[in-house]
Amino acid sequence: MRYRFVDHTADIAFEAYGSNLKELIENATLAFYEAFVDLSRLKVDTERSLKVKADSPDYLLFNWLNELLFMFETDFFAGKDVNVEVVENEGLRAEGIIKGGNINPEIVKTEPKAITFHKFKVEQKYGNWVAFVIIDI
């Protein structure tokens, strides 16, 4: 399982999984876009590159998701495919390419407002990575 949505009263919540941080970030990216866009109607004609840095896995994913939100809100961009590399060198750095396209109101399910720290968690369980994310809508 790559990710699963968790029932939440007022927001969007999901858990993402990965055997490493690379997979975790990729799967969280896919969960983010699936939550807000009808991906079956998204035309893939653009690639976007993304780079973030952090001192911990929690902040690496948090910063990454905030950049996705920024692209969603300012560039009207959503992705269907993502490839990420995570490098550990004086902290953590995630670099990736997201393949997707421009969104229009007809394919937006709901609009995200903010990635929250409420219950936000990235941890290793039984050798795999698990993240819990709540996005304010």
mmCIF file of all heavy atoms in Angstrom, residues 70-95:
data_model
loop_
_atom_site.group_PDB
_atom_site.id
_atom_site.type_symbol
_atom_site.label_atom_id
_atom_site.label_comp_id
_atom_site.label_asym_id
_atom_site.label_seq_id
_atom_site.Cartn_x
_atom_site.Cartn_y
_atom_site.Cartn_z
ATOM 1 N N PHE A 70 2.155 25.288 -2.808
ATOM 2 C CA PHE A 70 2.492 26.558 -3.465
ATOM 3 C C PHE A 70 2.292 26.446 -4.978
ATOM 4 O O PHE A 70 1.687 27.320 -5.605
ATOM 5 C CB PHE A 70 3.925 26.959 -3.122
ATOM 6 C CG PHE A 70 4.349 28.254 -3.751
ATOM 7 C CD1 PHE A 70 3.947 29.461 -3.207
ATOM 8 C CD2 PHE A 70 5.147 28.266 -4.882
ATOM 9 C CE1 PHE A 70 4.323 30.671 -3.787
ATOM 10 C CE2 PHE A 70 5.532 29.457 -5.470
ATOM 11 C CZ PHE A 70 5.118 30.665 -4.926
ATOM 12 N N MET A 71 2.789 25.361 -5.595
ATOM 13 C CA MET A 71 2.626 25.167 -7.046
ATOM 14 C C MET A 71 1.152 25.010 -7.406
ATOM 15 O O MET A 71 0.711 25.491 -8.444
ATOM 16 C CB MET A 71 3.424 23.953 -7.531
ATOM 17 C CG MET A 71 4.900 24.179 -7.588
ATOM 18 S SD MET A 71 5.797 22.869 -8.465
ATOM 19 C CE MET A 71 5.458 21.440 -7.477
ATOM 20 N N PHE A 72 0.398 24.326 -6.554
ATOM 21 C CA PHE A 72 -1.025 24.121 -6.784
ATOM 22 C C PHE A 72 -1.753 25.469 -6.795
ATOM 23 O O PHE A 72 -2.553 25.743 -7.690
ATOM 24 C CB PHE A 72 -1.589 23.217 -5.680
ATOM 25 C CG PHE A 72 -2.999 22.758 -5.894
ATOM 26 C CD1 PHE A 72 -3.269 21.555 -6.525
ATOM 27 C CD2 PHE A 72 -4.070 23.519 -5.440
ATOM 28 C CE1 PHE A 72 -4.571 21.126 -6.709
ATOM 29 C CE2 PHE A 72 -5.373 23.101 -5.615
ATOM 30 C CZ PHE A 72 -5.627 21.898 -6.256
ATOM 31 N N GLU A 73 -1.460 26.309 -5.808
ATOM 32 C CA GLU A 73 -2.175 27.579 -5.657
ATOM 33 C C GLU A 73 -1.709 28.671 -6.615
ATOM 34 O O GLU A 73 -2.513 29.469 -7.069
ATOM 35 C CB GLU A 73 -2.006 28.098 -4.227
ATOM 36 C CG GLU A 73 -2.745 27.281 -3.202
ATOM 37 C CD GLU A 73 -2.552 27.820 -1.793
ATOM 38 O OE1 GLU A 73 -1.508 28.445 -1.514
ATOM 39 O OE2 GLU A 73 -3.451 27.603 -0.978
ATOM 40 N N THR A 74 -0.428 28.743 -6.903
ATOM 41 C CA THR A 74 0.082 29.851 -7.715
ATOM 42 C C THR A 74 0.234 29.511 -9.192
ATOM 43 O O THR A 74 0.029 30.372 -10.043
ATOM 44 C CB THR A 74 1.433 30.355 -7.182
ATOM 45 O OG1 THR A 74 2.379 29.293 -7.217
ATOM 46 C CG2 THR A 74 1.288 30.885 -5.769
ATOM 47 N N ASP A 75 0.607 28.264 -9.482
ATOM 48 C CA ASP A 75 0.821 27.855 -10.874
ATOM 49 C C ASP A 75 -0.310 26.985 -11.409
ATOM 50 O O ASP A 75 -0.281 26.589 -12.571
ATOM 51 C CB ASP A 75 2.138 27.085 -11.013
ATOM 52 C CG ASP A 75 3.343 27.914 -10.640
ATOM 53 O OD1 ASP A 75 3.250 29.150 -10.709
ATOM 54 O OD2 ASP A 75 4.375 27.331 -10.279
ATOM 55 N N PHE A 76 -1.266 26.649 -10.550
ATOM 56 C CA PHE A 76 -2.385 25.764 -10.928
ATOM 57 C C PHE A 76 -1.858 24.466 -11.525
ATOM 58 O O PHE A 76 -2.339 23.978 -12.532
ATOM 59 C CB PHE A 76 -3.347 26.475 -11.894
ATOM 60 C CG PHE A 76 -3.791 27.808 -11.380
ATOM 61 C CD1 PHE A 76 -3.304 28.976 -11.943
ATOM 62 C CD2 PHE A 76 -4.660 27.895 -10.310
ATOM 63 C CE1 PHE A 76 -3.690 30.213 -11.455
ATOM 64 C CE2 PHE A 76 -5.058 29.130 -9.815
ATOM 65 C CZ PHE A 76 -4.571 30.290 -10.391
ATOM 66 N N PHE A 77 -0.858 23.893 -10.837
ATOM 67 C CA PHE A 77 -0.191 22.677 -11.307
ATOM 68 C C PHE A 77 -0.508 21.502 -10.386
ATOM 69 O O PHE A 77 -0.511 21.637 -9.168
ATOM 70 C CB PHE A 77 1.325 22.881 -11.342
ATOM 71 C CG PHE A 77 2.084 21.651 -11.744
ATOM 72 C CD1 PHE A 77 2.243 21.327 -13.075
ATOM 73 C CD2 PHE A 77 2.634 20.807 -10.787
ATOM 74 C CE1 PHE A 77 2.930 20.178 -13.452
ATOM 75 C CE2 PHE A 77 3.325 19.663 -11.147
ATOM 76 C CZ PHE A 77 3.474 19.349 -12.491
ATOM 77 N N ALA A 78 -0.771 20.354 -11.000
ATOM 78 C CA ALA A 78 -0.927 19.094 -10.272
ATOM 79 C C ALA A 78 -0.144 18.018 -11.013
ATOM 80 O O ALA A 78 0.054 18.108 -12.225
ATOM 81 C CB ALA A 78 -2.389 18.702 -10.151
ATOM 82 N N GLY A 79 0.281 16.990 -10.273
ATOM 83 C CA GLY A 79 1.091 15.950 -10.877
ATOM 84 C C GLY A 79 0.465 14.573 -10.790
ATOM 85 O O GLY A 79 -0.344 14.298 -9.910
ATOM 86 N N LYS A 80 0.872 13.730 -11.718
ATOM 87 C CA LYS A 80 0.429 12.325 -11.756
ATOM 88 C C LYS A 80 1.574 11.360 -11.518
ATOM 89 O O LYS A 80 1.353 10.213 -11.171
ATOM 90 C CB LYS A 80 -0.163 12.004 -13.132
ATOM 91 C CG LYS A 80 -1.618 12.231 -13.268
ATOM 92 C CD LYS A 80 -2.048 11.661 -14.607
ATOM 93 C CE LYS A 80 -3.535 11.566 -14.708
ATOM 94 N NZ LYS A 80 -3.954 11.107 -16.034
ATOM 95 N N ASP A 81 2.793 11.814 -11.745
ATOM 96 C CA ASP A 81 3.963 10.946 -11.633
ATOM 97 C C ASP A 81 5.077 11.745 -10.980
ATOM 98 O O ASP A 81 5.261 12.920 -11.288
ATOM 99 C CB ASP A 81 4.390 10.460 -13.017
ATOM 100 C CG ASP A 81 5.507 9.444 -12.957
ATOM 101 O OD1 ASP A 81 5.489 8.576 -12.060
ATOM 102 O OD2 ASP A 81 6.425 9.524 -13.803
ATOM 103 N N VAL A 82 5.805 11.095 -10.077
ATOM 104 C CA VAL A 82 6.878 11.799 -9.374
ATOM 105 C C VAL A 82 8.064 10.863 -9.190
ATOM 106 O O VAL A 82 7.898 9.669 -8.977
ATOM 107 C CB VAL A 82 6.378 12.347 -8.007
ATOM 108 C CG1 VAL A 82 5.898 11.236 -7.115
ATOM 109 C CG2 VAL A 82 7.446 13.159 -7.301
ATOM 110 N N ASN A 83 9.253 11.439 -9.302
ATOM 111 C CA ASN A 83 10.484 10.704 -9.048
ATOM 112 C C ASN A 83 11.352 11.588 -8.162
ATOM 113 O O ASN A 83 11.690 12.703 -8.543
ATOM 114 C CB ASN A 83 11.193 10.376 -10.360
ATOM 115 C CG ASN A 83 12.393 9.487 -10.142
ATOM 116 O OD1 ASN A 83 12.716 9.108 -9.018
ATOM 117 N ND2 ASN A 83 13.074 9.151 -11.212
ATOM 118 N N VAL A 84 11.691 11.089 -6.983
ATOM 119 C CA VAL A 84 12.414 11.865 -5.977
ATOM 120 C C VAL A 84 13.721 11.168 -5.619
ATOM 121 O O VAL A 84 13.782 9.943 -5.575
ATOM 122 C CB VAL A 84 11.553 12.023 -4.696
ATOM 123 C CG1 VAL A 84 12.331 12.746 -3.601
ATOM 124 C CG2 VAL A 84 10.256 12.737 -5.001
ATOM 125 N N GLU A 85 14.727 11.961 -5.357
ATOM 126 C CA GLU A 85 15.967 11.466 -4.782
ATOM 127 C C GLU A 85 16.185 12.196 -3.463
ATOM 128 O O GLU A 85 15.996 13.417 -3.397
ATOM 129 C CB GLU A 85 17.156 11.710 -5.712
ATOM 130 C CG GLU A 85 17.118 10.897 -6.991
ATOM 131 C CD GLU A 85 17.098 9.395 -6.759
ATOM 132 O OE1 GLU A 85 17.767 8.911 -5.824
ATOM 133 O OE2 GLU A 85 16.395 8.697 -7.516
ATOM 134 N N VAL A 86 16.580 11.459 -2.434
ATOM 135 C CA VAL A 86 16.869 12.055 -1.137
ATOM 136 C C VAL A 86 18.355 11.880 -0.860
ATOM 137 O O VAL A 86 18.878 10.775 -0.975
ATOM 138 C CB VAL A 86 16.020 11.409 -0.016
ATOM 139 C CG1 VAL A 86 16.413 11.966 1.343
ATOM 140 C CG2 VAL A 86 14.536 11.630 -0.277
ATOM 141 N N VAL A 87 19.002 12.980 -0.516
ATOM 142 C CA VAL A 87 20.440 12.973 -0.258
ATOM 143 C C VAL A 87 20.666 13.430 1.176
ATOM 144 O O VAL A 87 20.081 14.415 1.627
ATOM 145 C CB VAL A 87 21.172 13.927 -1.236
ATOM 146 C CG1 VAL A 87 22.652 13.982 -0.925
ATOM 147 C CG2 VAL A 87 20.914 13.517 -2.671
ATOM 148 N N GLU A 88 21.515 12.681 1.874
ATOM 149 C CA GLU A 88 21.891 13.046 3.234
ATOM 150 C C GLU A 88 23.295 13.624 3.189
ATOM 151 O O GLU A 88 24.261 12.923 2.912
ATOM 152 C CB GLU A 88 21.865 11.806 4.130
ATOM 153 C CG GLU A 88 21.092 12.010 5.385
ATOM 154 C CD GLU A 88 21.042 10.768 6.229
ATOM 155 O OE1 GLU A 88 20.621 9.722 5.704
ATOM 156 O OE2 GLU A 88 21.432 10.856 7.405
ATOM 157 N N ASN A 89 23.391 14.928 3.418
ATOM 158 C CA ASN A 89 24.677 15.604 3.408
ATOM 159 C C ASN A 89 24.507 16.912 4.168
ATOM 160 O O ASN A 89 23.936 17.857 3.639
ATOM 161 C CB ASN A 89 25.137 15.857 1.969
ATOM 162 C CG ASN A 89 26.520 16.450 1.900
ATOM 163 O OD1 ASN A 89 27.223 16.510 2.899
ATOM 164 N ND2 ASN A 89 26.905 16.896 0.722
ATOM 165 N N GLU A 90 24.976 16.942 5.417
ATOM 166 C CA GLU A 90 24.759 18.108 6.274
ATOM 167 C C GLU A 90 23.264 18.437 6.315
ATOM 168 O O GLU A 90 22.846 19.532 5.970
ATOM 169 C CB GLU A 90 25.574 19.298 5.783
ATOM 170 C CG GLU A 90 27.063 19.070 5.857
ATOM 171 C CD GLU A 90 27.855 20.262 5.365
ATOM 172 O OE1 GLU A 90 27.301 21.381 5.339
ATOM 173 O OE2 GLU A 90 29.021 20.067 5.011
ATOM 174 N N GLY A 91 22.474 17.482 6.706
ATOM 175 C CA GLY A 91 21.021 17.604 6.691
ATOM 176 C C GLY A 91 20.448 16.725 5.592
ATOM 177 O O GLY A 91 21.139 15.862 5.048
ATOM 178 N N LEU A 92 19.222 16.953 5.244
ATOM 179 C CA LEU A 92 18.561 16.181 4.198
ATOM 180 C C LEU A 92 18.148 17.097 3.060
ATOM 181 O O LEU A 92 17.764 18.242 3.280
ATOM 182 C CB LEU A 92 17.313 15.494 4.754
ATOM 183 C CG LEU A 92 17.539 14.412 5.800
ATOM 184 C CD1 LEU A 92 16.228 14.049 6.475
ATOM 185 C CD2 LEU A 92 18.164 13.186 5.145
ATOM 186 N N ARG A 93 18.203 16.564 1.847
ATOM 187 C CA ARG A 93 17.764 17.301 0.666
ATOM 188 C C ARG A 93 16.948 16.356 -0.205
ATOM 189 O O ARG A 93 17.369 15.222 -0.459
ATOM 190 C CB ARG A 93 18.971 17.832 -0.096
ATOM 191 C CG ARG A 93 18.601 18.730 -1.263
ATOM 192 C CD ARG A 93 19.812 19.316 -1.952
ATOM 193 N NE ARG A 93 20.446 18.292 -2.781
ATOM 194 C CZ ARG A 93 21.698 17.866 -2.651
ATOM 195 N NH1 ARG A 93 22.475 18.365 -1.718
ATOM 196 N NH2 ARG A 93 22.191 16.936 -3.444
ATOM 197 N N ALA A 94 15.783 16.810 -0.631
ATOM 198 C CA ALA A 94 14.958 16.044 -1.569
ATOM 199 C C ALA A 94 14.883 16.822 -2.876
ATOM 200 O O ALA A 94 14.613 18.026 -2.870
ATOM 201 C CB ALA A 94 13.559 15.814 -1.006
ATOM 202 N N GLU A 95 15.165 16.126 -3.965
ATOM 203 C CA GLU A 95 15.081 16.718 -5.302
ATOM 204 C C GLU A 95 14.231 15.802 -6.152
ATOM 205 O O GLU A 95 14.396 14.584 -6.107
ATOM 206 C CB GLU A 95 16.469 16.847 -5.925
ATOM 207 C CG GLU A 95 17.408 17.734 -5.164
ATOM 208 C CD GLU A 95 18.778 17.830 -5.812
ATOM 209 O OE1 GLU A 95 18.946 17.354 -6.957
ATOM 210 O OE2 GLU A 95 19.675 18.398 -5.173
#
